């Protein structure tokens, strides 16, 4: 872990103006995240986890503070630059899946490739490949409402993976799933990490956090603790 | 590029907001229909009239009390004009020196002809004319003969008949030398006209010619007894001279003071096509004006549909942006969608416009003119409309904040 950090944030705050009153969603957060880390972000509801994820994922910009992604200053970037970073470098997985309802699994997965200008034949073969990787090779032409919750989340994970991003951000990916399906999805993330991917995952379940290698706890927009996960044998990559 | 996807999305919009979308598409259709309809109608009429003008013969002109084509309320201008009397016309014919081809004629409708106990419908045109008429009007007599100058002078009861009359009253029997009855008067049939087909839905063969002198004596209708004078110059070179001479002669015969306008119309192929052009000009202007109004109304509708579509798909836009769609992609997607919607309405309008134009040309028996220009114009207009009225909703979509859009329920 002594190469350059993938993500470097320093004294980041996010303030919302609510009827003249300032609401601090993030206060003075500093973090470094290195390639091939598996990080769990934990904390009570309203503590700022999603806000932090959105900032890390370049969906949102901090009010103050420094954010460098792969050495590039994110604060300096235009909307289009941010869109490009999101497209090429970041794979987002949402709690509510956020798939296009009318598009088939393959089409959903092709979407980020469309925006990065990949040819249609390559798009299709890459989409099918990742769908097979997440174990949905049989469901290529199903639409989201023809899939189970776990299957939808697999499609969402496949969509996050298809561009070979530098980092995968997952905001409560198991929040809408039952325990058994949740475990399957967590195995998927662990496998990705074992293959060398960088993963940040938001959760408020200790069971889920146990899969990670590093656990960051947040409270009231501040980092409460940031430590290596010693509890789990999974972090060693063995079962 | 996701053009195809955007186009499919437009169809999706039609499906999900059926009624509103269909109403809007309808007003686009009506707008385009007005434009195409007027365009085709004008093109069809134009070509029909041009054919007719050519058939009328080159270097010919007409002198009448009022113009052939009369638009708007300009009839007031002509109301007080005195008739061109038969006597006046005869004097005119005698006085013109630059050509001998002057014909005097008059026409009235609604005649019934009888032979024995056979009779026609009361829809025959009766034309009084003279020996020059057939030459100037390019009418051929396929059987028998034309009128002689002597016949016209002495007002004989002779007739030259069109093909429809032959078919109805003689049905294969020989017509030349037979008699037919018009208003209790017997006429000897001396000639049969070559069939000329029909024009503006009216058969040109359903007519009977008699000497103008006979016509003036017995058959002038209640509209007065103003006759028409048709003339033909000997050549293209002498045409203007003949027209000038005609105007001068007519003015002096009708005592027009030097400072007054002509108290008659002199029409040439050129003036008729000018009159016609101003008529078709009105028609196209009307079509375009009503087209633009309904297109504007439709534009507002399109904007509304697109705004609703953007609103309903806020989350989808959020997803697309989160995944890396740039502003321009979203902008492009929604503009393509708006253009597709407009084209959809436009295609329906073009189809109905062309059908209407076809109907018109069958009605007046002319060749259909599908005005390619107007079809292209419509496609262009629809594209422009999609651009104009789709831009604002598309811009709104493109500017959505991804996080807020994702949070939208
Ligand atoms: N758009 C906004 N406007 C105002 N306040 C906001 C906005 N978004 C978030 N907040 C506030 O910021 C704080 C952090 O919100 P955030 O969504 O990051 O919490 P969270 O840790 O993800 O909670 P949960 O576990 O419930 O998802 C909350 O107090 C919230 O009210
Ligand atoms: Mg959250």
């Amino acid at each position: 872990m002594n190469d350059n950090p993938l993500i470097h944030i320093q004294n980041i705050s996010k303030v919302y103006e609510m009827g003249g009153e300032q609401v601090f969603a993030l206060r003075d957060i500093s973090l470094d995240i290195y390639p091939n880390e598996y990080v769990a972000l934990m904390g009570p509801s309203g503590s700022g986890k999603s806000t932090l994820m959105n900032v890390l994922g370049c969906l949102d910009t901090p009010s103050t503070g420094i954010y460098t992604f792969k050495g590039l200053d994110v604060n300096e970037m235009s909307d289009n630059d941010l869109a490009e970073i999101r497209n090429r470098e970041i794979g987002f997985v949402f709690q509510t899946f956020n798939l296009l309802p009318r598009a088939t699994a393959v089409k959903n997965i092709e979407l980020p490739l469309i925006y990065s200008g990949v040819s249609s034949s390559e798009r299709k073969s890459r989409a099918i490949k990742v769908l097979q990787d997440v174990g949905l090779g049989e469901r290529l032409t199903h639409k989201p409402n023809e899939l189970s919750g776990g299957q939808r989340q697999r499609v969402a994970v496949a969509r996050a993976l298809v561009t070979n991003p530098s980092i995968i951000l997952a905001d409560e990916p198991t929040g809408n799933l039952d325990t058994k399906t949740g475990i399957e999805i967590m195995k998927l993330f662990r496998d990705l990490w074992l293959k060398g991917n960088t993963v940040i995952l938001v959760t408020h379940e200790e069971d889920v956090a146990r899969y990670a290698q590093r656990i960051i706890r947040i409270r009231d927009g501040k980092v409460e603790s940031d430590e290596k996960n010693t509890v789990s044998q999974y972090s060693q990559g063995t079962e | 590029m996701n053009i195809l996807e955007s186009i499919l999305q437009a169809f999706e919009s039609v499906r999900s907001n059926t009624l509103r979308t269909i109403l809007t598409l309808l007003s686009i259709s009506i707008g385009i229909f007005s434009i195409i309809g007027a365009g085709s109608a004008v093109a069809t009429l134009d070509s029909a009239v041009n054919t007719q003008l050519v058939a009328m013969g080159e270097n010919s002109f007409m002198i009448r009390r009022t113009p052939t084509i009369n638009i708007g309320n300009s009839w007031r201008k002509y109301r007080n004009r005195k008739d061109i009397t038969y006597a006046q016309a005869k004097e005119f014919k005698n006085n013109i020196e630059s050509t001998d081809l002057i014909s005097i004629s008059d026409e009235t409708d609604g005649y019934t002809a009888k032979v024995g106990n056979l009779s026609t419908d009361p829809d025959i045109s009766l034309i009084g004319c003279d020996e020059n008429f057939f030459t100037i009007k390019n009418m051929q007599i396929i059987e028998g003969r034309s009128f002689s100058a002597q016949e016209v002078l002495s007002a004989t009861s002779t007739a030259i008949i069109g093909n429809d009359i032959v078919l109805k009253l003689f049905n294969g029997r020989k017509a030349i030398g037979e008699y037919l009855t018009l208003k209790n008067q017997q006429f000897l049939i001396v000639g049969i006209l070559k069939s000329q087909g029909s024009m503006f839905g009216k058969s040109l063969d359903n007519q009977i010619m008699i000497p103008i002198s006979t016509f003036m004596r017995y058959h002038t209708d209640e509209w007065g007894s103003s006759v028409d004078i048709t003339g033909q110059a000997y050549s293209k070179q002498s045409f203007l001279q003949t027209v000038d001479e005609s105007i001068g002669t007519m003015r002096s015969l009708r005592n027009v003071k030097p400072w007054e306008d002509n108290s008659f119309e002199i029409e040439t192929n050129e003036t008729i096509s000018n009159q016609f052009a101003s008529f078709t000009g009105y028609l196209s202007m009307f079509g375009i004006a009503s087209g633009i109004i309904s297109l504007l109304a439709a534009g507002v509708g399109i904007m509304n549909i697109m705004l609703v579509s953007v609103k309903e798909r806020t989350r989808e836009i959020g997803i697309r942006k989160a995944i890396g769609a740039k502003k321009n992609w979203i902008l492009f997607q929604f503009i393509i969608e708006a253009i597709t919607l407009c084209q959809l309405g436009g295609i329906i309008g073009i189809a109905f416009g062309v059908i209407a134009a076809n109907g018109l040309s069958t009605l007046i028996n002319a060749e259909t003119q599908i005005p390619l220009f107007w079809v292209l114009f419509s496609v262009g207009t629809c594209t422009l409309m999609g651009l104009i009225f789709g831009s604002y909703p598309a811009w709104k979509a493109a500017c959505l904040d991804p996080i807020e859009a994702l949070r939208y329920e």
Side-chain angles (χ1 to χ4, degrees):
Chain A
M1 296 297 141
N2 38 16
D3 27 27
N4 291 328
L6 191 59
I7 283 174
H8 168 74
I9 59 174
Q10 202 180 318
N11 307 114
I12 273 194
S13 295
K14 179 78 192 180
V15 189
Y16 290 106
E17 206 76 46
M18 290 287 280
E21 215 174 312
Q22 291 193 323
V23 178
F24 275 82
L26 299 176
R27 297 171 204 257
D28 220 15
I29 290 194
S30 299
L31 274 180
D32 283 321
I33 290 172
Y34 290 88
N36 200 21
E37 274 197 291
Y38 189 169
V39 181
L41 265 181
M42 294 200 69
S45 185
S47 56
K49 305 181 295 292
S50 293
T51 308
L52 181 58
M53 281 300 252
N54 291 339
V55 168
L56 294 180
C58 297
L59 273 170
D60 206 352
T61 45
S63 307
T64 56
I66 296 166
Y67 178 13
T68 51
F69 186 92
K70 278 187 161 177
L72 300 169
D73 187 350
V74 174
N75 291 344
E76 295 286 291
M77 291 183 185
S78 67
D79 278 359
N80 276 347
D81 294 336
L82 291 175
E84 199 157 328
I85 293 272
R86 289 199 293 272
N87 185 238
R88 291 171 195 273
E89 304 287 353
I90 291 161
F92 235 112
V93 179
F94 302 90
Q95 179 176 358
T96 51
F97 321 134
N98 280 341
L99 299 171
L100 295 188
R102 287 178 305 270
T104 62
V106 171
K107 282 272 180 270
N108 262 294
I109 296 168
E110 280 186 44
L111 202 58
L113 297 178
I114 290 178
Y115 295 132
S116 56
V118 175
S119 77
S120 89
S121 56
E122 193 190 332
R123 270 187 339 237
K124 189 148 189 193
S125 62
R126 277 170 71 174
I128 292 171
K129 170 85 170 48
V130 281
L131 260 179
Q132 284 163 347
D133 290 349
V134 300
L136 276 182
E138 320 274 78
R139 299 282 186 274
L140 302 178
T141 58
H142 287 234
K143 292 187 176 159
N145 62 0
E146 297 159 351
L147 295 168
S148 73
Q151 288 170 331
R152 285 182 214 183
Q153 197 59 300
R154 282 166 196 266
V155 174
V157 172
R159 182 180 64 187
L161 289 176
V162 76
T163 55
N164 293 322
S166 305
I167 186 164
I168 291 163
L169 303 179
D171 192 350
E172 303 201 46
T174 59
N176 274 352
L177 303 175
D178 61 49
T179 321
K180 184 170 159 283
T181 326
I183 289 171
E184 283 172 19
I185 294 293
M186 291 317 295
K187 279 186 180 154
L188 207 57
F189 282 112
R190 194 205 50 192
D191 290 344
L192 292 175
W193 169 58
L194 289 176
K195 280 187 204 152
N197 282 291
T198 313
V199 180
I200 306 180
L201 178 136
V202 167
T203 182
H204 44 240
E205 293 172 56
E206 295 290 342
D207 282 353
V208 171
R210 230 184 302 142
Y211 287 80
Q213 177 200 32
R214 173 180 168 190
I215 298 177
I216 300 174
R217 289 177 202 275
I218 293 183
R219 185 177 293 272
D220 295 334
K222 280 185 285 199
V223 177
E224 190 183 47
S225 68
D226 180 353
E227 51 206 12
K228 279 245 147 61
N229 178 12
T230 48
V231 185
S232 171
Q233 74 268 39
Y234 297 126
S235 61
Q236 306 310 312
T238 55
E239 229 164 299
Chain B
M1 297 294 250
N2 56 353
I3 292 184
L4 189 69
E5 202 194 328
S6 305
I7 291 173
L8 291 176
Q9 184 58 53
F11 285 95
E12 187 65 36
S13 280
V14 178
R15 252 205 341 222
S16 55
N17 304 308
T18 318
L19 187 66
R20 185 181 32 202
T21 312
I22 285 180
L23 285 178
T24 301
L25 293 192
L26 202 67
S27 50
I28 296 181
S29 302
I30 291 170
I32 294 298
F33 169 81
S34 315
I35 292 173
I36 293 268
S40 317
V42 166
T44 304
L45 288 175
D46 267 345
S47 90
V49 163
N50 286 335
T51 332
Q52 168 78 336
L53 290 181
V54 171
M56 220 173 91
E58 258 181 275
N59 305 329
S60 54
F61 60 91
M62 248 180 131
I63 298 174
R64 323 187 49 185
R65 192 176 78 95
T66 56
T68 312
I69 302 170
N70 201 346
I71 317 137
N73 55 2
S74 52
W75 60 271
R76 290 169 192 281
K77 195 168 122 195
Y78 310 120
R79 192 172 42 179
N80 295 325
R81 284 184 178 174
K82 290 211 173 66
D83 285 345
I84 299 173
T85 61
Y86 182 41
Q88 205 169 54
K90 276 196 290 193
E91 208 167 333
F92 175 84
K93 187 175 176 177
N94 288 334
N95 289 357
I96 291 291
E97 281 168 357
S98 61
T99 182
D100 286 331
L101 286 172
I102 299 290
S103 158
I104 305 167
S105 61
D106 196 7
E107 178 170 355
T108 180
D109 285 326
Y111 268 73
T112 307
K114 288 182 194 150
V115 171
N117 49 14
L118 281 177
S119 91
T120 66
D121 292 332
D123 61 356
I124 296 175
S125 299
L126 183 68
I127 299 174
C129 62
D130 60 14
E131 69 283 1
N132 291 331
F133 188 79
F134 303 95
T135 316
I136 298 172
K137 293 270 184 179
N138 263 344
M139 288 177 168
Q140 284 182 38
I141 291 167
I142 45 164
E143 222 186 311
R145 57 169 178 85
S146 174
F147 297 131
S148 67
Q150 185 54 42
E151 257 177 320
V152 174
L153 218 62
S154 51
T156 55
S157 296
T158 45
I160 295 169
I161 63 177
N163 205 38
D164 287 2
I165 319 284
V166 179
L167 290 176
K168 271 180 208 150
L169 298 181
F170 294 96
N171 195 23
R173 287 188 294 121
K174 195 169 158 52
I176 303 282
E178 298 294 322
Y179 285 88
L180 57 70
T181 311
L182 289 168
K183 274 199 179 166
N184 303 323
Q185 192 185 354
Q186 295 245 304
F187 284 84
L188 174 68
I189 299 169
V190 296
I192 295 170
L193 285 171
K194 188 182 173 191
S195 173
Q196 297 177 86
S198 63
M199 178 78 199
F200 294 130
K202 200 174 135 188
S203 171
L204 295 174
D205 298 326
N206 195 25
Q207 53 189 13
I208 297 177
M209 279 80 175
I210 62 174
I212 179 69
S213 44
T214 316
F215 183 95
M216 292 313 293
R217 206 168 293 170
Y218 302 111
H219 299 284
T220 51
D221 55 27
E222 65 270 34
W223 299 109
S225 46
S226 192
V227 297
D228 295 339
I229 299 169
T230 315
Q232 188 171 25
Y234 287 135
S235 69
K236 219 177 173 130
Q237 286 74 27
S238 63
F239 180 67
L240 282 180
Q241 189 207 333
T242 305
V243 168
D244 280 346
E245 190 197 349
S246 301
I247 294 173
T249 310
M250 206 61 194
R251 281 178 74 95
S252 79
L253 281 173
R254 286 167 75 83
N255 295 319
V256 180
K257 305 280 183 312
W259 58 87
E260 286 174 350
D261 287 340
N262 291 344
S263 63
F264 53 91
E265 284 308 299
I266 180 145
E267 292 179 335
T268 61
N269 278 352
E270 202 185 337
T271 64
I272 290 186
S273 69
N274 283 346
Q275 284 166 2
F276 194 73
S278 78
F279 167 70
T280 53
Y282 276 111
L283 193 60
S284 354
M285 248 159 60
F286 174 76
I288 290 171
S290 56
I292 285 174
I293 290 168
S294 32
L295 288 183
L296 274 180
V300 174
I302 286 288
M303 180 126 85
N304 181 271
I305 286 177
M306 291 308 295
L307 283 173
V308 170
S309 174
V310 168
K311 186 120 202 143
E312 279 169 355
R313 283 151 64 201
T314 302
R315 213 180 154 85
E316 173 195 323
I317 296 163
I319 295 171
R320 289 176 185 274
K321 290 198 122 182
I323 284 171
K326 293 180 184 175
K327 240 181 191 174
N328 286 347
W329 271 103
I330 307 288
L331 196 68
F332 179 77
Q333 179 189 342
F334 280 91
I335 285 179
I336 289 286
E337 194 179 318
I339 290 176
T340 308
L341 272 179
C342 292
Q343 296 293 2
L344 222 57
I347 286 167
I348 298 168
I350 291 174
F352 279 109
V354 169
I355 289 171
N358 262 302
L360 173 75
S361 50
T362 338
L363 203 70
I364 68 170
N365 220 339
E367 209 175 310
T368 313
Q369 304 288 317
I370 296 172
L372 192 63
F373 168 78
W374 289 112
V375 171
L376 293 178
F377 176 86
S378 304
V379 172
T381 307
C382 289
T383 309
L384 202 67
M385 272 184 67
L387 264 177
I388 292 173
F389 295 101
S391 286
Y392 173 64
W395 180 250
K396 258 189 101 158
C399 289
L400 281 176
D401 179 68
I403 294 184
E404 274 166 30
L406 278 175
R407 213 176 269 151
Y408 182 83
E409 291 302 325

